Amino acid sequence: MTLLRVEDLRVRLPTSSGPVTIVDGVDYQVEQGQVFGVAGESGSGKTISVLALMQLLPQGAQVDGRALYDGRDLLSLGPRALQQMRGRDIAMVFQDPLTSLHPMLSIGKQLTEHVRVHEDASRDVAKRRAIELLEEVRIPDPEQAFHSFPHQFSGGMRQRVAIAIALACRPKVLIADEPTTALDVTVQAGILRLLDRLRRENGLAVILITHDLGVMSSIADHVSIFYAGRIVESGPTRELLTKPRHPYTRALIDALPHPEAEEGSELVAIGGSPPTPRARPDGCAFHPRCAYARESCELSVPSLVPVSDSRLLACPIDPLGPR
Amino acid sequence: MLLGVGITFVAFCLTNIVPGDPAAANLGQRAIEDPAAVAAFRHHYGLDKPLPEQYGIYLWHIVHGDLGQSEQNHDAVTHDLGQFIPATAELALLSIFVAVVVGVGLGVIAAVRRNKLTDHVLRVVSLGGVSMPTFWIALVGLYVFFFRLNWLPGTGRLDPVVSPPPHLTGLFTVDALAAGQWSTFWNAFQHLVLPSLVLAASNIGLLTRYTRSAVLEVISNDYVRSARAKGMPGHTVILRHVLRAALPTVITVIGLAFANVMTGAVLVENIFSWPGIGQYAYRSATTLDLPAIMGVSLFVAVVYITVNFIVDVLYGVIDPRIRLA
């Protein structure tokens, strides 16, 4: 069942020299119980595109397109409906657990305040729920944790708390923006297992944003690759990562260190750097860095078209072809 | 404790460095010409002893709760202080209360409406509050609200025909309420309005500016976005999440506001004939009444130390990270 359908999402942010297009026409849909991966380099518009869904962008941002959830367009919700949607239908976990929790409010307060607002729950009910959640995300001694403050926990534990806070009102969709990037690898694995379990047990849909394809391959069902504010390729994770068709996806995978790679083989860095939103090249934004680029690539922006049952590709050249 | 000794020492040195002769300031024209009278005056107040010995005696007396005798009215300084402190306390507390409520409120509004018309208007108002001299605001306030409009009484703590309420705290409004004398309360309150607002003006400006910048610093933090993302209503986000984090800065400025009120009181009390510490300080200074000056200095120092201590304690209450450190 499709929970969330995003159609032609465009975001322009104000800067000192006029508005700049950050997200430039993005379409995708998220199914119930699915982990929907969004990958791409920093600055490709991944985070901005999901903040737009929650209307959490700074003032002055221009958002166009539609994001249909439960028959309503999230992008045109009024303040009241928006406040009721946030946290209850769609919840969010941010990248840095050190800064995303309030340093002066107790864990208990931060875990219960929105439950009490959304569900009009009593203090006791909210507290019982909070303790359950802390158990669910495997925080040792939940009763004590309830009365503690964020600075008394390690980064991994704080991210678990942040996830517990996000799940407190039993949302249908969880947006996790680089939830493991600030954490150690071992802690990372724990958080990913936790997300995976919640998805299986509660039918939660997860939009997982990461620039780490390793994380992606371990948990995501479906991946969309972002480049310069657009999706350049999308498809089921395993297929997409083993048989990439867009030159950018290929380059991303080649840039990963691989334990089974032949000895002496070098990592291939992608030449050049990603374009800044202010100076995006004409045509396909990747063409200046693309090994397969032709003249035609500079002329028109390639659209994202189906190339098989489950895969979409925005490269008319398709140099890597179906193999 | 150590701070207390230090303060008495500095105050003692300063008051004695001031050029001027207490005898000349306090004795009449004829008495000054009589060396015997001057000697008697000096001997009576211990001014003929060496300075270190004077200081030692002074400290000894303080320890015994004796701040000496005023050279002006020959009352014990402690008696004078006890009489004048409640008047100033009533004025200062109301003034601080108004400044905090209005200043913090306006600061939050200015921050939330950043760069909009409200913000610009508040910027002008707060700048005005900070930069207009207190005595000028006081005179304009008196002229407009007392002389022209006659909305508020001019000077003093009560109308001459109203007798003070039975003494309990020395704060007339509180005492009147405690005694159930509503008309006295109302009269005392009306007398309080103008001087306390005048005294609050610069602190309102100060608090508005600092609160605005503290709130702006906090409002773009990730945890504020987290609060919005979980669907907390806007006003709860501002009050619980943003203002809470801005509070340490605000508390610091409130501490500074107390200092402003103590200095402002000298001007305001003189202009409004308010029988408080400020007026007493002014009178003592102009007549070189050394024990009284020392007493006032000591009182002000105690207020500062107490306020600073409370501010430090509040930091810990507000921020759990400081509590443990």
Side-chain angles (χ1 to χ4, degrees):
Chain A
M1 189 181 82
T2 303
L3 277 179
L4 176 69
R5 183 192 299 277
V6 176
E7 292 172 358
D8 199 27
L9 179 69
R10 289 167 197 275
V11 180
R12 282 144 69 83
L13 292 183
T15 64
S16 47
S17 54
V20 162
T21 303
I22 307 290
V23 180
D24 193 10
V26 161
D27 301 78
Y28 58 85
Q29 59 191 52
V30 182
E31 312 288 332
Q32 187 173 17
Q34 182 187 47
V35 175
F36 182 86
V38 175
E41 285 167 286
S42 312
S44 58
K46 311 183 297 276
T47 300
I48 298 294
S49 71
V50 289
L51 287 178
L53 299 184
M54 303 281 280
Q55 295 194 30
L56 282 172
L57 290 172
Q59 272 185 351
Q62 301 169 26
V63 180
D64 295 303
R66 296 207 298 171
L68 297 171
Y69 172 87
D70 198 17
R72 292 181 303 171
D73 182 8
L74 298 180
L75 305 182
S76 56
L77 289 181
R80 180 117 187 92
L82 179 68
Q83 182 239 310
Q84 286 171 348
M85 177 278 288
R86 287 173 177 169
R88 196 170 60 175
D89 295 315
I90 305 180
M92 203 160 171
V93 175
F94 296 95
Q95 174 170 354
D96 190 350
L98 301 182
T99 57
S100 65
L101 297 178
H102 199 295
M104 301 177 194
L105 297 176
S106 72
I107 301 290
K109 185 89 196 162
Q110 299 190 57
L111 257 169
T112 54
E113 56 175 357
H114 52 314
V115 177
R116 300 195 60 197
V117 167
H118 284 309
E119 302 179 13
D120 208 13
S122 72
R123 197 177 293 270
D124 289 342
V125 169
K127 179 174 178 183
R128 227 173 301 131
R129 168 91 59 85
I131 302 282
E132 276 169 33
L133 280 160
L134 289 171
E135 273 166 10
E136 198 172 343
V137 298
R138 308 268 195 275
I139 296 276
D141 199 354
E143 185 72 38
Q144 200 199 330
F146 186 87
H147 297 286
S148 305
F149 289 88
H151 68 274
Q152 292 163 309
F153 291 90
S154 66
M157 286 294 143
R158 278 191 231 191
Q159 195 61 300
R160 282 165 189 268
V161 169
I163 292 173
I165 290 172
L167 296 175
C169 295
R170 310 213 167 97
K172 305 281 189 303
V173 181
L174 178 69
I175 299 174
D177 181 9
E178 308 256 11
T180 59
T181 307
L183 306 175
D184 299 344
V185 182
T186 45
V187 181
Q188 224 176 61
I191 298 285
L192 292 178
R193 272 200 301 276
L194 171 66
L195 286 178
D196 195 42
R197 184 161 57 82
L198 293 168
R199 170 265 294 267
R200 274 187 282 107
E201 289 172 7
N202 307 345
L204 184 72
V206 180
I207 300 179
L208 177 70
I209 298 177
T210 177
H211 62 264
D212 186 339
L213 292 180
V215 167
M216 206 54 100
S217 69
S218 66
I219 176 171
D221 302 300
H222 188 99
V223 176
S224 285
I225 307 287
F226 267 58
Y227 188 79
R230 293 166 153 273
I231 295 177
V232 294
E233 184 171 14
S234 84
T237 310
R238 180 164 298 276
E239 212 186 308
L240 188 129
L241 293 184
T242 50
K243 293 184 189 131
R245 288 183 57 177
H246 196 283
Y248 176 62
T249 317
R250 169 87 258 170
L252 269 186
I253 292 167
D254 286 344
L256 280 179
H258 205 279
E260 289 134 46
E262 285 173 46
E263 210 168 308
S265 69
E266 283 180 26
L267 290 179
V268 192
I270 309 178
S273 50
T276 62
R278 205 182 298 278
R280 280 186 185 152
D282 292 336
C284 172
F286 188 59
H287 84 259
R289 305 168 77 188
C290 181
Y292 307 94
R294 300 180 191 168
E295 265 175 47
S296 63
C297 297
E298 295 176 39
L299 299 176
S300 63
V301 181
S303 48
L304 189 66
V305 292
V307 288
S308 73
D309 288 350
S310 52
R311 295 187 62 173
L312 299 167
L313 179 66
C315 181
I317 316 274
D318 196 9
L320 304 166
R323 272 171 293 172
Chain B
M1 183 64 213
L2 209 62
L3 216 54
V5 175
I7 287 158
T8 57
F9 183 73
V10 172
F12 189 83
C13 290
L14 284 178
T15 43
N16 279 290
I17 289 169
V18 177
D21 185 353
N26 285 285
L27 293 178
Q29 192 64 44
R30 287 185 137 215
I32 291 173
E33 286 162 11
D34 178 4
V38 173
F41 178 85
R42 289 180 174 280
H43 183 73
H44 178 76
Y45 288 103
L47 296 173
D48 52 350
K49 298 199 174 76
L51 278 179
E53 196 185 333
Q54 285 186 34
Y55 180 59
I57 294 170
Y58 183 69
L59 276 188
W60 180 250
H61 285 161
I62 285 181
V63 173
H64 292 83
D66 177 8
L67 293 177
Q69 194 185 29
S70 163
E71 291 164 10
Q72 265 289 298
N73 56 12
H74 308 287
D75 278 336
V77 171
T78 43
H79 170 265
D80 286 353
L81 289 180
Q83 190 185 342
F84 296 128
I85 285 174
T88 300
E90 189 170 33
L91 185 61
L93 289 177
L94 182 64
S95 165
I96 291 275
F97 176 76
V98 170
V100 169
V101 170
V102 177
V104 172
L106 292 182
V108 170
I109 292 170
V112 172
R113 304 235 158 261
R114 183 188 190 181
N115 289 337
K116 295 194 177 138
L117 182 65
T118 329
D119 186 23
H120 296 312
V121 170
L122 287 177
R123 178 173 303 143
V124 174
V125 170
S126 64
L127 209 62
V130 174
S131 38
M132 285 189 295
T134 304
F135 70 87
W136 186 81
I137 301 180
L139 292 176
V140 171
L142 265 181
Y143 179 77
V144 174
F145 294 104
F146 170 59
F147 184 68
R148 280 277 154 194
L149 300 172
N150 205 14
W151 286 357
L152 294 166
T155 57
R157 295 181 76 183
L158 290 170
D159 284 347
V161 291
V162 180
S163 54
H167 185 90
L168 195 68
T169 58
L171 312 182
F172 282 0
T173 46
V174 177
D175 290 355
L177 278 185
Q181 299 174 351
W182 298 104
S183 62
T184 310
F185 168 78
W186 182 238
N187 194 272
F189 181 74
Q190 280 181 312
H191 277 85
L192 264 173
V193 171
L194 202 49
S196 62
L197 284 184
V198 168
L199 203 48
S202 71
N203 283 333
I204 289 176
L206 196 70
L207 274 160
T208 305
R209 300 307 299 156
Y210 275 94
T211 305
R212 177 183 180 273
S213 61
V215 165
L216 283 180
E217 213 169 281
V218 170
I219 211 164
S220 55
N221 265 316
D222 283 1
Y223 52 79
V224 176
R225 190 176 59 182
S226 303
R228 293 217 168 89
K230 27 183 221 190
M232 297 307 291
H235 58 93
T236 315
V237 173
I238 293 296
L239 291 181
R240 189 181 293 163
H241 296 256
V242 175
L243 196 53
R244 174 68 182 258
L247 221 45
T249 312
V250 174
I251 296 280
T252 310
V253 181
I254 293 176
L256 290 177
F258 268 94
N260 285 343
V261 163
M262 296 310 291
T263 44
V266 175
L267 288 167
V268 171
E269 288 184 2
N270 275 295
I271 292 170
F272 287 93
S273 307
W274 195 265
I277 283 293
Q279 218 180 25
Y280 184 60
Y282 173 77
R283 222 168 36 225
S284 315
T286 47
T287 56
L288 243 105
D289 187 346
L290 295 189
I293 295 173
M294 289 291 292
V296 172
S297 313
L298 209 60
F299 166 71
V300 173
V302 168
V303 170
Y304 282 2
I305 294 171
T306 314
V307 167
N308 274 314
F309 176 74
I310 293 172
V311 166
D312 278 349
V313 170
L314 285 179
Y315 284 153
V317 173
I318 294 163
D319 192 340
R321 291 168 297 182
I322 296 175
R323 214 178 297 164
L324 292 172

